[in-house]
Amino acid sequence: MEVFSGLLQGFQVALTASNLTLCVVGVVLGTVIGVMPGLGPSATIAMLLPLTFKLEPTGAMIMLAGIYYGAKYGGSTTSILLNVPGESSSVVTCIDGYQMARKGRAGAALGMAAIASFIAGTFGVVALMLVAPPLAQMSLAFSAPEYFALMVLGLTMVVLLAGESLTKAVLAMLVGLWIAGMGTDLFTATSRFTFGRLELLGGIDFIIVAIGVFAIGEVIGNMELEKPAQMIPVPKGLRNLLPTWDDMKRCRFAFLNGSVVGFLIGVLPGAGATIASFLSYGIEKGVSRHPEEFGHGAIEGVAAPEGANNAETGGALVPLLTLGIPGSGTTAILLAALVLWGFKPGPLFIQDSPQLFWGLVASMYIGNVLLLVLNLPLVAVFAQLLKVPSYAMYPLILGISIVGVYSVSSSMFHLGLLAGFGLLGYAMRKLDYPTAPLVLGLVLGDPMEKALRQSLMMSQGDLSILLRPIPSVLLGIAALLLVVPIFKKFNAVRVQVIDREA
Amino acid sequence: MQRARNIVAATLAAIAVATALPALAQWTPTKPVEVIVHTGPGGGSDVLARAIVTMMEKEKLVPVRMQVINKPGGNGAVAAAALSEKGNDSHTLGLVTSVWIANALTTAEAKVTVHDLKPIAQLMLEPAVFAVKADSPYKTLKEFVDAAKAKPGALKQSGGSVTSRDNIVRQQLQHATGAKWAYVSFPGGGERLAALLGGHVDIMVIEPQEAGEQVRAGKLRVLAQLSEKRLPGYPDAPTLKEAGFDIQPTPQVRGVVAPPAMPADAAAYWEGRFARLRETPSWKKYVADNQLEEHFLPGEQFRASIQEISKQLREQFVLAGIKVVR
Amino acid sequence: MPPFARSGDFWSGLVLAALGTYIVVSARGWEYMGEDGPGPGFFPLWYGGAMIVLSLALVAGAVLGRRAAGPPLPMANLGRALLCWAAFVACIALMHLAGFIVAFALLTWFVIAVMARRPQRVALPIAIGAALGFHALFTWALEVSLPRGILF
């Protein structure tokens, strides 16, 4: 079969000494970048571009891709240990990962993140290899109306993330929507909620809000007591250092969920890894037999989103390599790199440059294995980090947060924003407002608004454009998700009434 | 006695000037140079800046390292402010595009605009083409416009923000022909192309280099090109004028600017370097590969070009109903 | 003080209702529905409105004493937390003047010595070591720029 001959050729290319070395360099560098909050693969790849001219293009691409998916492995580390998202897409991992760490299961969380990343990452490469061209064609059917429906579905996840008070969860989401709307309106060039500050013209970067609300808010909250209990217990014994067989069994569906959802969302240009991880988390919680554990340290709550953001890498390469369309910020730079090296990414790319394509695919298999081998022992190393006493840990978190935000924005104004969001995070904690819906609203608000307005521009104001096949299905699911809990409550009241009358 | 003293004074003065003049003419950079761009890594300006830096090093045109600094945000306002803050620094440059000029007109929050900065050189123009899907019923731009006239608002074009060249040329065409078609903004180039390929919109304005591969694969058809002369990559596509539309599309320029108070000798140095760059083989290859339109203008002419573009854009924005604040 | 005035829900509801009102008022200044579709005022009007409705519901719930009026307005230990936050803000402001190393060292020292009341022989070395460590790791090894102050 053509695929196997291609793959064989690819392995021949990928297993040469120089390409293997470049792969190792890429994945290690990527892991380091991923661990550091704020520092992202796109900036690193851009910085390394001049270096790549001295290398052969296939090797260079292998290295850059290694940085790209390697970062997804590292991103979960600080999310779990410090509640600081290392990558935007690791935000969801904070929710359950950090709670697991607080219960002494940091090792299991870190290990599961690596395993889920490996399974989903490999799935992504397999899918890229087998179904890339036809899937890319199908993804073209996805446009604004479909995106809008997808975003609405994502927002109804609020219902699932709600916890006790639905009102407060929705309010948090609305605040997230508001923050998402800050900046220059794309369609009319009007400035909204910029308070006259030019730094706000581009809106507020999501990572600043996430780090502020999650990490800074948590640290300030912990400052209340002079001698807090050892903040994170160091995992003792092998049982807590790595996931158990029980954990692996529980996460069976999460692996599948993360892989498929992540890959499919990755294929869509415009929808990113963060959306993929939220959706995957929501689906996992929705089908779980013990949903009340989510938010308090459910291991599936780590496996699903971590898998999703890794499978997304494979997905994002689909439109890049088969259509020449970049799906996300990082793939845009990879596209620029390919062009700079003299390639012409487009529909004929795989045909014209099979060596690069198959070499890349083969190296991604190798890279994922390398990353698993690299990350699992690192779990023990990182777990030792937890021995640092809390009074030294807190300034460390604050310092990392500052560096992370500054590396993204290079501006004191944004550091001020970080402080503001830290206070907000603390206030939300004290007043019992769930923080996840805020982040959800922030991530989905802008794309959702854009998608709706684009849809109506396409249809000249006709709302029925939203009733095309795909949006109807997605909106239908969203409606069900909203109605079912209300139905359940209604039913519960009804049963109570019947009981009383009996 | 007096005359002798005058002669000595005059000679001394002449010697002083003579020694100072060479110093003025021979400024060279002595520490790493920063090139500020307004996009994040991977954005259009960023890629061009990195390519320029690489070429400068390869052709050994500058004795020091050059580095690209990303200052995204504020639609170019943040980058402009960063450049302005550098005052009289001779080791900072900025890469500007027409986006800076457009945003100067619409962004009230910007305290510094491109007009406050010192123009060094205009490097090139970015041409574009009108493209439709390969199976589209329109074989010429005129057919598209006629169809749009017959059904106002039914046809759709995908493009960038409303202040971008995509929309401006649409406004100009609509104005000149009386046709009307809808415009759908997508923030990313990839999404615009996906919308066209997926059949959700009917036409788009696209950079020739982006379109190249799609045309070669038979997915897109080029109807017309927005440039003065036909580009070598598209010998068969008519220019707007040749297609019968007497429109002067507002040029998309890319050029280099410097902080407002950069000393004259440094500015002259940089202008000279960029003039020299365009003679190098690396540059020529870059322009050819990326299907750009070379159009070099030295500093003062670049300033005039910026002002002319600003004037044109203001007219177009007012016609399109976009709020102009300067 | 009436019981509901001690309730967190009550006050946060009022704040959010005020925010919602601000959003709606701003949205009225923008175009609601343009000729091409919803304008910039469309979405803010709706979510601002929803914010007002829900936050007033929250306030009402607190006033009517339902749901045990949510958590009480937390007075205990608020002072310590806010002090820490103030130190963080001061650190950032100082960073603008004195750069990362100095400001961060001071913040670290503050957290260890003042907030956690550890002795100086623990606080000082950790503070200085951490600040220098960050500098070494980020500025040298990773070439990530740290905030540079006007003075340093």
Side-chain angles (χ1 to χ4, degrees):
Chain A
M1 249 193 5
E2 192 189 295
V3 167
F4 282 116
S5 66
L7 194 58
L8 215 60
Q9 180 192 28
F11 272 112
Q12 277 183 316
V13 170
L15 287 171
T16 65
S18 65
N19 285 345
L20 207 53
T21 317
L22 285 169
C23 185
V24 172
V25 169
V27 299
V28 170
L29 194 57
T31 310
V32 172
I33 301 293
V35 171
M36 297 292 171
L39 205 57
S42 22
T44 316
I45 294 177
M47 280 197 286
L48 290 174
L49 272 185
L51 225 76
T52 61
F53 286 112
K54 303 199 177 77
L55 301 166
E56 198 237 314
T58 312
M61 187 63 179
I62 289 177
M63 181 179 81
L64 296 183
I67 297 177
Y68 183 27
Y69 56 85
K72 302 285 180 73
Y73 274 79
S76 51
T77 309
T78 47
S79 308
I80 292 171
L81 294 175
L82 303 173
N83 208 26
V84 178
E87 287 294 306
S88 307
S89 53
S90 308
V91 144
V92 186
T93 316
C94 290
I95 302 178
D96 275 273
Y98 184 62
Q99 295 305 317
M100 280 187 73
R102 296 188 78 178
K103 294 197 177 137
R105 300 206 68 210
L110 288 169
M112 182 53 82
I115 294 174
S117 299
F118 171 73
I119 295 178
T122 308
F123 175 89
V125 184
V126 171
L128 170 67
M129 187 179 74
L130 292 176
V131 302
L135 198 63
Q137 272 305 117
M138 285 201 290
S139 79
L140 287 177
F142 237 78
S143 190
E146 288 75 18
Y147 278 113
F148 174 69
L150 189 66
M151 303 295 154
V152 169
L153 181 62
L155 281 181
T156 53
M157 295 289 174
V158 167
V159 172
L160 295 174
L161 291 175
E164 288 197 356
S165 168
L166 187 60
T167 318
K168 287 183 173 172
V170 176
L171 277 172
M173 184 193 81
L174 291 174
V175 173
L177 287 182
W178 174 59
I179 301 175
M182 289 183 183
T184 312
D185 179 39
L186 177 70
F187 305 98
T188 58
T190 334
S191 304
R192 296 191 297 186
F193 301 117
T194 56
F195 303 106
R197 305 237 30 158
L198 66 86
E199 292 94 340
L200 290 177
L201 278 175
I204 298 184
D205 204 336
F206 156 80
I207 199 80
I208 299 177
V209 180
I211 294 182
V213 170
F214 279 41
I216 311 277
E218 177 83 19
V219 168
I220 295 176
N222 283 325
M223 283 295 177
E224 284 185 343
L225 301 172
E226 187 176 317
K227 276 200 189 339
Q230 177 71 1
M231 194 168 90
I232 314 270
V234 178
K236 286 201 178 49
L238 207 58
R239 190 189 159 269
N240 283 321
L241 210 52
L242 281 180
T244 63
W245 281 120
D246 237 356
D247 293 328
M248 298 287 286
K249 273 202 291 186
R250 269 175 69 147
C251 290
R252 272 174 6 241
F253 181 74
F255 294 139
L256 183 67
N257 170 11
S259 306
V260 173
V261 171
F263 182 74
L264 289 179
I265 301 284
V267 172
L268 304 175
T274 318
I275 296 177
S277 40
F278 262 114
L279 274 176
S280 168
Y281 182 85
I283 293 175
E284 189 63 29
K285 183 174 176 183
V287 305
S288 166
R289 295 227 184 101
H290 24 81
E292 66 290 342
E293 283 185 30
F294 281 73
H296 301 285
I299 197 164
E300 305 95 303
V302 171
E306 272 304 305
N309 70 30
N310 275 73
E312 190 265 351
T313 316
L317 288 173
V318 169
L320 175 67
L321 298 174
T322 58
L323 292 176
I325 297 180
S328 64
T330 319
T331 41
I333 307 182
L334 290 177
L335 179 70
L338 284 169
V339 170
L340 275 174
W341 297 329
F343 288 97
K344 297 186 196 292
L348 301 172
F349 181 70
I350 301 183
Q351 266 176 261
D352 289 344
S353 321
Q355 230 205 3
L356 186 77
F357 177 74
W358 290 110
L360 179 65
V361 168
S363 81
M364 285 176 76
Y365 282 115
I366 300 173
N368 272 298
V369 172
L370 283 174
L371 281 163
L372 185 67
V373 166
L374 178 69
N375 276 284
L376 280 181
L378 279 181
V379 167
V381 172
F382 282 124
Q384 298 311 309
L385 187 70
L386 297 173
K387 285 214 183 108
V388 174
S390 52
Y391 58 78
M393 189 70 105
Y394 295 141
L396 186 71
I397 298 179
L398 293 178
I400 293 183
S401 305
I402 293 178
V403 174
V405 166
Y406 192 76
S407 74
V408 165
S409 66
S410 294
S411 128
M412 301 301 297
F413 177 78
H414 287 94
L415 287 179
L417 282 180
L418 178 70
F421 284 113
L423 191 63
L424 178 67
Y426 175 62
M428 285 177 80
R429 240 166 274 276
K430 292 303 276 185
L431 295 169
D432 251 357
Y433 280 80
T435 49
L438 177 84
V439 171
L440 186 64
L442 183 57
V443 168
L444 296 183
D446 196 42
M448 185 178 85
E449 181 183 8
K450 286 205 173 89
L452 179 64
R453 289 165 76 179
Q454 284 160 353
S455 306
L456 290 177
M457 279 185 199
M458 278 189 211
S459 68
Q460 289 297 104
D462 188 2
L463 267 176
S464 66
I465 194 175
L466 293 173
L467 295 175
R468 298 211 294 219
I470 302 177
S472 322
V473 168
L474 292 172
L475 287 172
I477 300 177
L480 268 174
L481 281 176
L482 282 174
V483 163
V484 165
I486 301 179
F487 215 63
K488 271 196 197 152
K489 243 190 225 171
F490 189 66
N491 222 31
V493 172
R494 203 169 65 99
V495 168
Q496 262 187 339
V497 172
I498 293 177
D499 272 338
R500 222 174 283 162
E501 285 179 0
Chain B
M1 215 47 256
Q2 186 63 16
R3 223 169 51 155
R5 228 184 270 150
N6 283 347
I7 295 175
V8 170
T11 319
L12 281 175
I15 295 175
V17 171
T19 45
L21 264 177
L24 264 179
Q26 275 167 20
W27 180 89
T28 51
T30 48
K31 54 187 180 106
V33 172
E34 291 187 340
V35 180
I36 296 184
V37 296
H38 75 282
T39 64
S45 278
D46 175 77
V47 172
L48 177 63
R50 291 184 196 274
I52 290 179
V53 163
T54 313
M55 282 188 266
M56 287 280 204
E57 282 181 11
K58 190 158 148 212
E59 303 281 349
K60 301 205 189 352
L61 289 173
V62 221
V64 296
R65 234 184 56 160
M66 290 178 83
Q67 215 189 341
V68 175
I69 306 285
N70 302 88
K71 290 267 177 201
N75 302 326
V78 172
L83 274 165
S84 159
E85 269 166 34
K86 292 281 185 174
N88 62 1
D89 186 17
S90 306
H91 295 83
T92 306
L93 295 171
L95 208 64
V96 302
T97 74
S98 289
V99 165
W100 294 51
I101 308 177
N103 289 325
L105 290 169
T106 58
T107 312
E109 290 86 343
K111 312 262 180 321
V112 175
T113 68
V114 65
H115 303 288
D116 302 311
L117 302 171
K118 195 189 207 54
I120 297 288
Q122 176 177 303
L123 295 177
M124 56 181 63
L125 299 176
E126 284 179 320
V129 300
F130 272 105
V132 295
K133 230 173 133 193
D135 55 13
S136 156
Y138 312 112
K139 304 244 174 2
T140 68
L141 191 56
K142 186 163 181 323
E143 281 177 31
F144 176 83
V145 172
D146 288 339
K149 242 192 260 186
K151 285 189 293 185
L155 295 178
K156 304 166 277 248
Q157 173 184 347
S158 68
S161 88
V162 283
T163 55
S164 69
R165 177 252 303 268
D166 306 355
N167 191 31
I168 297 303
V169 76
R170 163 181 167 262
Q171 296 285 341
Q172 287 175 308
L173 270 176
Q174 288 186 149
H175 199 65
T177 61
K180 227 170 96 67
W181 64 94
Y183 185 78
V184 187
S185 300
F186 290 93
E191 292 170 77
R192 292 170 218 157
L193 184 56
L196 182 64
L197 289 175
H200 306 283
V201 298
D202 304 288
I203 193 172
M204 77 180 286
V205 171
I206 186 174
E207 262 94 66
Q209 183 241 324
E210 267 183 77
E213 276 308 289
Q214 304 292 341
V215 170
R216 193 160 74 95
K219 306 263 179 175
L220 283 188
R221 175 191 305 148
V222 170
L223 295 182
Q225 38 185 312
L226 280 68
S227 47
E228 288 289 310
K229 301 187 296 280
R230 293 198 184 188
L231 293 168
Y234 296 95
D236 304 319
T239 64
L240 277 185
K241 283 235 173 54
E242 288 168 6
F245 299 97
D246 190 15
I247 308 249
Q248 187 70 305
T250 317
Q252 283 282 98
V253 297
R254 286 201 188 273
V256 183
V257 296
M262 184 187 261
D265 52 356
Y269 171 83
W270 289 116
E271 199 182 290
R273 291 294 86 191
F274 282 103
R276 179 79 187 79
L277 177 68
R278 56 191 291 253
E279 293 162 15
T280 64
S282 315
W283 178 256
K284 296 201 169 118
K285 180 169 183 307
Y286 184 80
V287 168
D289 279 347
N290 288 285
Q291 307 196 40
L292 299 162
E293 219 179 304
E294 247 249 297
H295 195 111
F296 182 84
L297 287 177
E300 280 315 305
Q301 288 177 14
F302 184 29
R303 186 193 296 275
S305 165
I306 292 177
Q307 283 168 347
E308 174 61 34
I309 294 174
S310 187
K311 200 162 77 92
Q312 283 180 23
L313 281 179
R314 173 181 288 114
E315 270 173 38
Q316 291 303 324
F317 286 174
V318 169
L319 273 175
I322 300 171
K323 206 170 84 156
V324 173
V325 302
R326 272 191 191 80
Chain C
M1 227 200 295
F4 64 73
R6 245 177 254 137
S7 141
D9 281 11
F10 177 76
W11 292 106
S12 62
L14 282 183
V15 167
L16 284 173
L19 176 63
T21 315
Y22 168 72
I23 294 175
V24 168
V25 167
S26 307
R28 296 289 294 272
W30 301 314
E31 207 184 7
Y32 179 76
M33 190 66 79
E35 59 168 39
D36 287 324
F42 181 77
F43 255 60
L45 194 72
W46 282 100
Y47 64 71
M51 203 183 280
I52 297 178
V53 167
L54 285 176
S55 48
L56 288 179
L58 206 63
V59 171
V63 171
L64 296 175
R66 237 184 288 162
R67 296 188 68 242
L73 203 55
M75 287 310 183
N77 299 321
L78 196 69
R80 277 184 56 94
L82 287 181
L83 181 63
C84 177
W85 180 77
F88 185 63
V89 172
C91 169
I92 293 179
L94 187 63
M95 223 174 267
H96 188 56
L97 283 175
F100 181 82
I101 304 179
V102 170
F104 181 62
L106 276 171
L107 178 68
T108 310
W109 172 83
F110 181 82
V111 169
I112 301 178
V114 177
M115 306 265 7
R117 302 249 174 88
R118 285 285 185 277
Q120 293 298 337
R121 61 179 160 79
V122 171
L124 283 172
I126 296 186
I128 300 177
L132 289 177
F134 266 83
H135 182 76
L137 177 63
F138 287 100
T139 315
W140 289 347
L142 293 175
E143 284 197 13
V144 173
S145 58
L146 291 179
R148 262 191 317 201
I150 299 179
L151 297 180
F152 294 126

